[in-house]
Amino acid sequence: MIRIEKTLSALLILCFLSQLAVGQDAITPKVIWAVNKVDLGTVLEEQGPQMAEFQFTHTQDSLFFIEKVWTDCGCTTVDYTKDTLVVGESGSLLVSFDPSSSAGYFSRMIVVKGNLMGVQDTLYIEGNAIPRASDPEGTYRTRKGDLGFRLSKINVGEVLTNQPKLKQVEVYNFGEKIFYKDSLMYDGPEYIYVSQLSDAILPNDRGLLQVLYDGAMKGDLGYVEDRISLNWQDSSTYIDLDVLADVFEYYAPFSKDDLNLVPQLVIDPKVIDLKTITSGKIQVEYVTLSNRGKQVLEIKKIQGNCECLKLELPKTSLDPGESIELKVVFDPIGRQGIDQRNIYIFSNDPLNPVQLFLLKSRVE
């Protein structure tokens, strides 16, 4: 009898704990933040402290107030709502970041503790801090009229097709005229747009330009390069710039159960080793592309990293289970020594939308 009572007691405790765990999983957070990370972008040292605001809403019936805030760096100071909030009321937390404390990419953490049990949230600010240059002539080596750039081309990096990419570019005014924000005129493709973030770029001072690149509107994939022109009417300045980007198709996450249903590109072989070849003889090889999925596979683009490659496909759509041969023609003329060519295949395989295979050789 005692053993039965102990067993029943144990079962009741387990049921209670399991119900408690389920109930805890369903509990609404006591504080909901609008965002938990703010990107300050590119920050120049002379711009002074930069501000990031985090807004929150209290969702519980209990009274709430922020009890304490910690930061991981003396370069950040915090001000926040001191009031006691009832359910539905909102507050904010204002973070000030001193860019003179960093050089390059930064990420700072802010921990917020509330008076209610379980309320301790972590917030982040991030960006790219650029110190003032002590030697402008040596730092901004590329001159476009009176404006100096660190690099000869603007590289916006990886661009996904689901949202435009923003890139801030630092410039230095070596001239005697002021570059006003309102006088800037842009001329270039519609998927790129350039604006001036600084209201004015004074003589012997620097400012920021912002490049917006829309990968979906571009309508191409892989490495691309475009020429744009900028014109400041007040200063009668015209400059041409090259913009580089790597555009990739965006695919939303999907269920693990659908893994075998989506298109799947398989490349065989992934490495072709031609071994020793002569520079005067064109090489022809074949690579098999197969669709191991259960939906139609679309080959969207094939891109090599050299004009010495010629890539030919008989078709770009593969039914489930179908295979085709990619013809690879390599002209090694003018080359010598160890050579490696990278060939990228872009497809609608959502798990591996970009795949690489190599063509290796030693040219004599």
Side-chain angles (χ1 to χ4, degrees):
M1 185 68 179
I2 295 176
R3 182 178 298 174
I4 293 174
E5 289 178 353
K6 287 183 177 179
T7 303
L8 288 173
S9 299
L11 288 173
L12 288 172
I13 292 172
L14 287 173
C15 289
F16 173 76
L17 290 176
S18 64
Q19 290 176 355
L20 181 61
V22 171
Q24 287 177 339
D25 289 340
I27 291 177
T28 303
K30 297 181 176 68
V31 173
I32 296 178
W33 296 88
V35 296
N36 64 356
K37 182 171 69 174
V38 172
D39 187 351
L40 295 174
T42 299
V43 182
L44 304 181
E45 179 183 355
E46 60 268 28
Q47 290 178 324
Q50 300 296 297
M51 309 302 294
E53 184 176 15
F54 296 89
Q55 297 182 341
F56 65 90
T57 302
H58 174 45
T59 64
Q60 302 297 301
D61 290 335
S62 305
L63 297 176
F64 171 77
F65 59 88
I66 293 178
E67 196 172 75
K68 192 171 183 180
V69 178
W70 297 272
T71 65
D72 66 348
C73 173
C75 58
T76 54
T77 57
V78 181
D79 188 19
Y80 54 88
T81 300
K82 305 295 194 305
D83 299 335
T84 298
L85 306 179
V86 299
V87 60
E89 287 190 322
S90 298
S92 65
L93 183 143
L94 202 61
V95 181
S96 174
F97 170 73
D98 181 5
S100 66
S101 65
S102 299
Y105 173 78
F106 64 86
S107 179
R108 297 290 176 255
M109 181 173 65
I110 304 99
V111 179
V112 182
K113 184 180 184 304
N115 66 304
L116 301 179
M117 182 179 297
V119 179
Q120 182 164 305
D121 298 318
T122 304
L123 310 173
Y124 297 91
I125 59 171
E126 63 181 21
N128 185 37
I130 306 180
R132 186 189 294 271
S134 58
D135 176 22
E137 292 284 350
T139 302
Y140 309 98
R141 295 173 180 268
T142 299
R143 296 286 289 269
K144 303 282 186 177
D146 288 332
L147 289 180
F149 294 77
R150 288 180 180 264
L151 301 173
S152 59
K153 298 182 179 183
I154 298 175
N155 190 344
V156 299
E158 292 188 0
V159 180
L160 296 177
T161 55
N162 63 322
Q163 62 180 4
K165 174 78 173 284
L166 292 175
K167 170 80 172 184
Q168 285 85 36
V169 180
E170 177 192 4
V171 296
Y172 191 91
N173 183 4
F174 286 99
E176 298 179 354
K177 297 180 179 179
I178 301 174
F179 288 82
Y180 289 102
K181 176 179 180 178
D182 296 337
S183 73
L184 174 60
M185 304 292 292
Y186 166 77
D187 183 23
E190 60 180 353
Y191 47 85
I192 300 175
Y193 184 74
V194 180
S195 58
Q196 181 175 316
L197 296 182
S198 318
D199 289 333
I201 306 176
L202 302 176
N204 300 314
D205 202 357
R206 60 180 180 167
L208 287 174
L209 303 180
Q210 179 166 274
V211 180
L212 182 147
Y213 198 108
D214 191 326
M217 192 180 294
K218 168 65 176 176
D220 197 0
L221 297 172
Y223 174 81
V224 290
E225 184 170 344
D226 294 280
R227 173 63 62 92
I228 64 172
S229 298
L230 302 178
N231 169 24
W232 281 267
Q233 295 178 319
D234 290 348
S235 62
S236 301
T237 298
Y238 299 83
I239 64 173
D240 292 325
L241 289 169
D242 292 318
V243 179
L244 314 179
D246 284 294
V247 184
F248 297 99
E249 189 82 25
Y250 171 79
Y251 292 95
F254 58 91
S255 170
K256 184 179 178 181
D257 297 335
D258 296 332
L259 185 61
N260 294 324
L261 301 178
V262 298
Q264 293 185 27
L265 171 63
V266 176
I267 304 173
D268 185 36
K270 297 294 287 282
V271 178
I272 299 175
D273 190 349
L274 299 176
K275 301 192 182 300
T276 301
I277 61 175
T278 59
S279 62
K281 185 178 181 180
I282 293 177
Q283 305 293 313
V284 179
E285 295 289 333
Y286 291 88
V287 175
T288 302
L289 308 183
S290 303
N291 180 10
R292 299 285 176 83
K294 295 183 179 179
Q295 294 179 355
V296 174
L297 175 73
E298 299 289 345
I299 305 297
K300 298 191 172 185
K301 185 176 182 179
I302 301 179
Q303 186 177 58
N305 64 344
C306 174
E307 294 182 356
C308 58
L309 291 170
K310 186 177 181 182
L311 308 166
E312 299 177 1
L313 264 184
K315 56 188 296 188
T316 57
S317 294
L318 283 74
D319 292 327
E322 185 178 6
S323 298
I324 58 175
E325 297 293 315
L326 168 64
K327 184 179 180 180
V328 181
V329 181
F330 173 51
D331 186 354
I333 188 170
R335 301 183 178 278
Q336 190 173 14
I338 296 175
D339 190 89
Q340 177 174 301
R341 300 295 109 204
N342 298 341
I343 296 130
Y344 300 88
I345 300 181
F346 298 80
S347 74
N348 64 335
D349 177 345
L351 195 61
N352 297 290
V354 185
Q355 294 194 47
L356 165 71
F357 72 90
L358 307 177
L359 181 69
K360 300 164 60 178
S361 64
R362 182 178 182 85
V363 186
E364 292 184 345

